[in-house]
């Protein structure tokens, strides 16, 4: 019989954690026992898995005894706080936070791109930032065919990137607006409803945000291209749960728009939606709840020799986080890495 794993979800009650639970079930991951971990706010809460009711447990340093794989999505500070306990318990952590992504001995993996990097893990595999994942799934075939020299990424990121509380805040702002009540902003710097906010994560002194530099540095690491020229502007938009991105690409070799459509049509994790005559292009409303990254508005950029523009939309909670993490767990299981 195939090996079964004792799995824990750290942050099981969060926007990503809840979806990790349902994706484990959907994809029939070989789970022996499942532990749901959260803070005292949610301990005791019931959640459903495969028709069974599981009780959320309080996360403590002793939570990982007998656990094989920890899917972590409780934020970077919680991951840092518990990583030693996880490794001491000989469990593998697949971490959705930014805590270890850029550490040299931590593989940063998008299964469609660099699954082999999982093999050099020392107990931690990092799940990339959602905007990075959604951009890179369709960029991989383009890079393989024509070698990307430069990327300009502009993101339109959903409220879900700020977790369950981010989505709840946007919905509350809509209700308050409709009721004529004053609108409150706590999770975001300003009212998000009817607005766009060019500010995600903290600012560095040079004016870039941490989110923007995650896209730059994580892309280079995943592609193993430390010198790739990349610049990003990341923006929060009043969308609930799928991110969109406008990506300008400069390649070494010329690719026509048709060649890109053909390359992407057969690419894993990608759906091409590109037929402007029939108003077909990706939109976050329709990418929500789906696994693939949707690509459209594929055009040659006439302002440079070998340039392309693409528009991508992908579910931030699924492929941008929970699905990618479960796919990493599948590689771990398939390759016997645990
Ligand atoms: P809780 O429900 O107890 O707050 P999101 O990213 O959607 O905000 O979710 C964060 C997840 O991380 C939730 O499951 C949350 O649990 C969990 N979490 C946050 N802080 C802690 C903590 N100090 N200990 C354990 N779990 C935590």
């Amino acid at each position: 019989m195939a090996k079964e794993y004792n799995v824990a979800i750290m942050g099981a009650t969060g926007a990503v954690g809840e979806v990790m639970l349902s994706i484990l079930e959907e994809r029939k991951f070989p789970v022996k026992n499942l532990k749901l971990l959260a803070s005292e706010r949610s301990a005791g809460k019931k959640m459903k898995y495969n028709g069974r009711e599981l009780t959320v447990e309080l996360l403590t340093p002793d939570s990982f005894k007998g656990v094989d794989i920890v899917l972590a999505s409780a934020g970077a500070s919680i991951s840092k706080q518990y990583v030693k306990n996880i490794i001491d318990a000989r469990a593998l952590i697949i971490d959705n936070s930014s805590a270890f992504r850029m550490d040299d001995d931590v593989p940063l993996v998008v299964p469609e791109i660099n699954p082999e990097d999982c093999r050099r893990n020392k107990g931690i595999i990092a799940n990339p930032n959602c905007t990075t994942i959604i951009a890179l799934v369709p960029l991989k075939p383009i890079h393989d065919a024509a070698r990307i020299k430069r990327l300009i990424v502009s993101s339109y990121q959903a409220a879900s990137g700020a977790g369950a509380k981010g989505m709840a805040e946007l919905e509350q702002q809509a209700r308050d607006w409709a009721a004529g009540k004053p609108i409150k902003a706590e999770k975001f710097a300003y009212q998000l409803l009817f607005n766009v906010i060019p500010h995600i994560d903290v600012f560095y002194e040079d004016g870039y945000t941490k989110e923007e530099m995650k896209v730059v540095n994580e892309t280079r690491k995943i592609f193993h291209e430390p010198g790739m020229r990349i610049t990003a502007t990341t923006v929060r938009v009043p969308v609930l749960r799928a991110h969109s991105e406008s990506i300008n690409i400069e390649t070494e070799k010329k690719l026509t728009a048709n060649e890109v459509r053909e390359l992407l049509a057969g690419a894993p994790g990608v759906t091409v939606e590109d037929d402007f005559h029939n108003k077909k292009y990706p939109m976050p409303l329709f990418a929500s709840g789906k696994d693939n990254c949707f690509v459209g508005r594929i055009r040659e950029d006439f302002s440079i020799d070998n340039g392309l523009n693409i528009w991508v939309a992908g579910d931030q909670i699924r492929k941008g986080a929970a699905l990618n993490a479960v796919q990493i767990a599948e590689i771990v299981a398939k390759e016997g890495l645990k």
Side-chain angles (χ1 to χ4, degrees):
M1 208 181 94
K3 182 167 174 186
E4 291 191 318
Y5 294 84
N6 292 325
V7 177
I9 302 179
M10 190 164 91
T13 51
V16 172
E18 277 191 4
V19 176
M20 282 171 163
L21 179 68
S22 63
I23 292 181
L24 285 173
E25 181 176 327
E26 263 170 49
R27 294 175 72 96
K28 302 186 169 47
F29 187 80
V31 173
K32 197 197 286 167
N33 284 305
L34 188 57
K35 240 184 194 188
L36 305 179
L37 302 168
S39 78
E40 62 286 333
R41 286 182 293 272
S42 298
K45 190 183 155 188
K46 309 276 184 209
M47 294 177 81
K48 278 242 162 75
Y49 174 73
N50 268 343
R52 276 186 295 146
E53 255 198 355
L54 300 179
T55 306
V56 176
E57 295 173 39
L58 177 66
L59 171 64
T60 73
D62 297 324
S63 294
F64 308 102
K65 278 188 192 130
V67 171
D68 302 306
I69 297 174
V70 179
L71 297 171
S73 194
S77 58
I78 302 290
S79 287
K80 284 184 188 152
Q81 189 180 336
Y82 289 94
V83 69
K84 191 175 179 305
N85 306 114
I86 294 171
I87 289 176
D88 286 350
R90 309 184 75 80
L92 171 83
I93 168 171
I94 299 172
D95 185 34
N96 190 50
S97 82
S98 61
F100 315 109
R101 286 181 190 147
M102 295 312 297
D103 292 5
D104 283 340
D105 56 358
V106 174
L108 182 65
V109 175
V110 180
E112 289 83 351
I113 301 175
N114 59 336
E116 63 287 346
D117 284 349
C118 288
R119 291 183 199 140
R120 50 175 198 82
N121 86 79
K122 294 181 177 152
I124 309 173
I125 300 177
N127 211 34
N129 166 267
C130 44
T131 303
T132 310
I133 298 176
I134 290 164
L136 264 49
V137 171
L139 288 177
K140 160 78 172 159
I142 296 174
H143 188 47
D144 287 348
R147 218 182 135 75
I148 294 170
K149 280 167 59 179
R150 180 166 187 243
L151 289 172
I152 305 171
V153 178
S154 310
S155 74
Y156 302 66
Q157 298 184 216
S160 54
K165 290 195 190 91
M167 296 167 86
E169 181 162 309
L170 178 59
E171 288 174 318
Q172 189 58 43
Q173 288 180 352
R175 277 191 292 269
D176 288 345
W177 180 83
K181 292 190 194 156
I183 289 177
K184 283 195 242 51
E186 281 162 14
K187 206 63 197 166
F188 303 111
Y190 294 91
Q191 171 185 328
L192 185 58
L193 184 75
F194 305 136
N195 197 10
V196 296
I197 306 175
H199 169 190
I200 301 179
D201 212 329
V202 296
F203 278 100
Y204 293 118
E205 271 313 301
D206 64 5
Y208 281 90
T209 62
K210 194 171 172 189
E211 185 80 354
E212 289 159 351
M213 295 318 294
K214 285 176 196 166
V215 173
V216 173
N217 295 323
E218 294 180 21
T219 299
R220 290 174 172 159
K221 179 167 174 175
I222 296 162
F223 275 156
H224 297 279
E225 295 282 6
M228 190 183 275
R229 289 186 290 153
I230 311 166
T231 186
T233 302
T234 57
V235 179
R236 189 76 70 195
V237 295
V239 162
L240 274 177
R241 69 172 271 178
H243 287 358
S244 306
E245 301 177 45
S246 160
I247 309 177
N248 180 264
I249 309 158
E250 187 177 356
T251 52
E252 238 164 60
K253 213 185 110 201
K254 171 86 186 156
L255 285 178
T256 65
N258 267 336
E259 284 169 333
V260 173
R261 272 181 214 109
E262 275 166 28
L263 274 175
L264 293 179
V270 177
T271 302
V272 176
E273 246 181 13
D274 195 24
D275 176 7
F276 63 86
H277 291 109
N278 290 306
K279 293 191 225 157
K280 274 189 78 176
Y281 30 73
M283 283 182 279
L285 193 60
F286 306 111
S288 293
K290 310 259 172 59
D291 285 349
N292 274 9
C293 298
F294 293 80
V295 186
R297 304 292 326 277
I298 300 168
R299 290 152 292 156
E300 284 155 50
D301 171 1
F302 303 124
S303 72
I304 49 172
D305 285 339
N306 300 334
L308 296 160
N309 283 306
I310 64 171
W311 171 258
V312 186
D315 188 306
Q316 182 269 326
I317 301 180
R318 291 183 77 88
K319 184 57 189 167
L323 171 63
N324 199 76
V326 174
Q327 287 175 310
I328 292 173
E330 288 171 349
I331 295 170
V332 167
K334 185 164 151 238
E335 299 215 0
L337 300 177
K338 191 69 219 168

